[in-house]
Amino acid sequence: MMLFAKQLLRALALAAVFLVTTPVFAQEGNGQEGATTSAQTGDDEDRSTEFRTSAGPQIDRVPGGKLLIGAYGLAWLAILMFMWFRIDRQQKRATDELERLASVVNRHLKQDGRD
Amino acid sequence: MSEPAPSLRQRLYRPFRMVLPVLTLGSVAAFLYVVFMETPMEEQMGIVQKIFYLHVPSANGMYLGWTLAAVGGLGYLATRKDSWDALAVAGAEVGTLFCLIVLITGPLWGRKAWGTYWVWDPRLTSTLLAGLVYMAFLSLRAGNPGATEKRFAATLAMLGFPLMFLIKFSVQAWSGQHPVVMSANGGGIAPAMYPALILGFVSLGFLALWLLDARFTAERTSQEAQRLELLVAERGWMENQ
């Protein structure tokens, strides 16, 4: 059973290596061939030589409105989080601690006074 | 026993402290109304240019916070008084908060203007570097710092101060892609855009002062509690509670 599992893992690893490396080698091969052909023939027909206007509707590919809302939203969220989770929480904790310690000190000072 | 009479500084500061939240909330509401309802859109960038009115005043808040952090650091090293340390902490935290806002809003604008969120431009890089320095300061001060940590942090706050000049003059020194609108070399902004920008400076200035005051007060209360805790421990009163 263990032997089968080891063989299966080896097969999978080999398959993964082939899957990853084959497209890389294929791309390298195509690039070299293309470069050779272009250099040998001097054929520039594939290269664009002009810019044309778009015939379809003009679409704003980067949505400015969403970016604007994101910027203002995240900024105010950061400020509110800082106020609530940092300042307010620390202030409450420190005030509670101060009141507790002050009562301890007062109690002992009164006891010392009686003694 | 009656409380001691307030000093002149306290008497002058108290009324300002009471109206500060009102001033902040009022000016922030006016700022948002003017930005979104009154200010015209920019010709080339469109609506995303309105990020500018938040981005630039936030950078001002960042400079204010970090300057106070450096002043607090210098004061602490000179006197070893906890009030200076509290000022350094409040300044560093508020400055770093505004730096975070600058580093959020800038890349979102850049996505539209440059086609990418981030470029290793001198101004962007120097802002990130300064932010990391003050984050190191905050890491040093996290938890319950002793005198050594406070001294190191104060030195770090002072070392971070020159980086603000690096941020400010990086555009002139190394050019880069960051726009320079508000300078002698920049093209300026249209007159209709000035109210939004001025209100941005005013409202975020008030907000920065409010946050600095609240953070400073919280830190002072915390320091007072620590001082009292030490006293209670020294007297051996803890076990008798």
Side-chain angles (χ1 to χ4, degrees), chain B:
Chain B
M1 206 170 98
S2 62
E3 284 187 15
S7 65
L8 178 67
R9 196 182 63 181
Q10 284 172 329
R11 269 184 288 164
L12 288 173
Y13 187 57
R14 267 182 196 168
F16 177 67
R17 201 177 176 190
M18 282 173 75
V19 296
L20 195 54
V22 181
L23 286 173
T24 306
L25 294 175
S27 59
V28 164
F31 165 64
L32 292 175
Y33 176 80
V34 169
V35 167
F36 289 104
M37 307 302 285
E38 299 288 332
T39 310
M41 271 200 260
E42 205 268 340
E43 190 181 25
Q44 295 209 324
M45 277 178 280
I47 198 166
V48 83
Q49 182 269 342
K50 289 178 187 242
I51 290 176
F52 168 80
Y53 307 118
L54 178 65
H55 180 78
V56 178
S58 296
N60 241 31
M62 176 182 84
Y63 291 137
L64 175 69
W66 286 347
T67 302
L68 288 178
V71 170
L74 183 67
Y76 181 73
L77 287 179
T79 65
R80 300 294 152 89
K81 279 186 179 170
D82 277 342
S83 54
W84 288 111
D85 178 62
L87 180 68
V89 172
E93 282 194 9
V94 173
T96 309
L97 171 74
F98 279 104
C99 175
L100 182 71
I101 294 170
V102 167
L103 291 176
I104 288 171
T105 53
L108 287 172
W109 173 87
R111 177 72 184 88
K112 177 80 175 177
W114 299 331
T116 180
Y117 288 108
W118 186 265
V119 287
W120 291 101
D121 168 272
R123 179 162 279 183
L124 273 74
T125 310
S126 53
T127 307
L128 180 67
L129 182 69
L132 290 172
V133 167
Y134 282 95
M135 277 172 75
F137 171 96
L138 296 177
S139 306
L140 256 176
R141 289 300 323 263
N144 200 3
T148 313
E149 285 88 358
K150 284 181 181 177
R151 268 206 320 275
F152 271 113
T155 312
L156 205 55
M158 286 169 59
L159 286 175
F161 184 70
L163 289 176
M164 280 185 272
F165 295 97
L166 190 73
I167 296 169
K168 186 72 186 160
F169 298 109
S170 59
V171 179
Q172 285 92 331
W174 299 296
S175 68
Q177 281 174 269
H178 193 281
V180 192
V181 182
M182 307 302 294
S183 80
N185 300 328
I189 60 172
M193 293 174 176
Y194 272 107
L197 185 65
I198 291 167
L199 267 171
F201 278 120
V202 171
S203 60
L204 291 188
F206 280 139
L207 179 68
L209 288 176
W210 186 22
L211 292 175
L212 282 163
D213 177 56
R215 186 65 190 88
F216 176 78
T217 308
E219 190 62 25
R220 290 294 286 157
T221 313
S222 197
Q223 286 174 349
E224 186 62 19
Q226 281 170 11
R227 195 186 61 79
L228 212 56
E229 196 170 12
L230 201 67
L231 178 81
V232 167
E234 277 173 0
R235 300 279 174 101
W237 289 344
M238 294 300 271
E239 66 279 6
N240 298 330
Q241 286 176 44

Side-chain angles (χ1 to χ4, degrees), chain A residues 51-69:
Chain A
F51 293 124
R52 299 186 197 96
T53 54
S54 168
Q58 285 191 339
I59 301 164
D60 196 1
R61 291 187 189 282
V62 182
K66 283 181 184 171
L67 292 171
L68 180 72
I69 291 167

Side-chain angles (χ1 to χ4, degrees), chain A residues 17 30 61 82:
Chain A
V17 169
N30 283 343
R61 291 187 189 282
F82 179 70

